Amino acid sequence: MLFNHISNALEQRLAALPNAPPVYYDNQSPATPPSGAFFMAKNLPKPTVIDTFDATEIYSGIFSINIYTPAGTGRAMAENYADELHSFFFNKRFDGLHTSTVSCSQGMLTATHYVINVSVSYRAFTE
């Protein structure tokens, strides 16, 4: 399994989230942030580990999704998206990946948006 395959699988899964706002990935950040809600997502892989007993390669990492909602509208919209992401990714198997824990950070206010980060842990195994 290659890093590109893992990133593509995670991005395709996120793109399938019903009623999701626009999603921007690594190297696709908008020049001007949209005024409404949007996601920014990136794959943060950990070093590949080889289990010496059976030569299984273990790929793991964090899929990081920043949820941006308009400033001044409260935290409910961002937290609702975080809840949807939790339900969509927690303990799921797809495209050779297994996602396990999903965590949510404390919100942060910028001049234009309220931001929450959702982190999805994943693992994949090959022989």
Side-chain angles (χ1 to χ4, degrees):
M1 180 161 291
L2 301 172
F3 295 112
N4 188 48
H5 174 81
I6 292 170
S7 292
N8 286 340
L10 292 165
E11 291 171 5
Q12 288 175 7
R13 177 79 179 164
L14 179 58
L17 179 69
N19 302 314
V23 181
Y24 297 92
Y25 300 101
D26 263 349
N27 204 23
Q28 293 181 327
S29 298
T32 304
S35 59
F38 65 98
F39 292 164
M40 289 189 77
K42 64 176 56 186
N43 180 17
L44 306 169
K46 294 179 184 175
T48 305
V49 175
I50 296 178
D51 182 332
T52 57
F53 294 118
D54 61 4
T56 299
E57 293 178 61
I58 302 170
Y59 295 85
S60 60
I62 303 285
F63 188 47
S64 176
I65 306 161
N66 285 334
I67 303 167
Y68 290 79
T69 57
T73 59
R75 66 178 197 253
M77 182 189 305
E79 289 178 350
N80 285 336
Y81 281 131
D83 289 344
E84 290 177 28
L85 289 168
H86 181 274
S87 296
F88 205 62
F89 280 101
F90 180 71
N91 200 27
K92 303 291 186 204
R93 292 183 187 276
F94 57 92
D95 293 336
L97 294 174
H98 176 236
T99 55
S100 54
T101 59
V102 177
S103 59
C104 182
S105 72
Q106 179 178 355
M108 177 183 75
L109 187 61
T110 71
T112 59
H113 288 87
Y114 181 70
V115 184
I116 292 178
N117 175 267
V118 171
S119 298
V120 179
S121 298
Y122 67 84
R123 294 183 87 173
F125 304 90
T126 63
E127 292 185 35

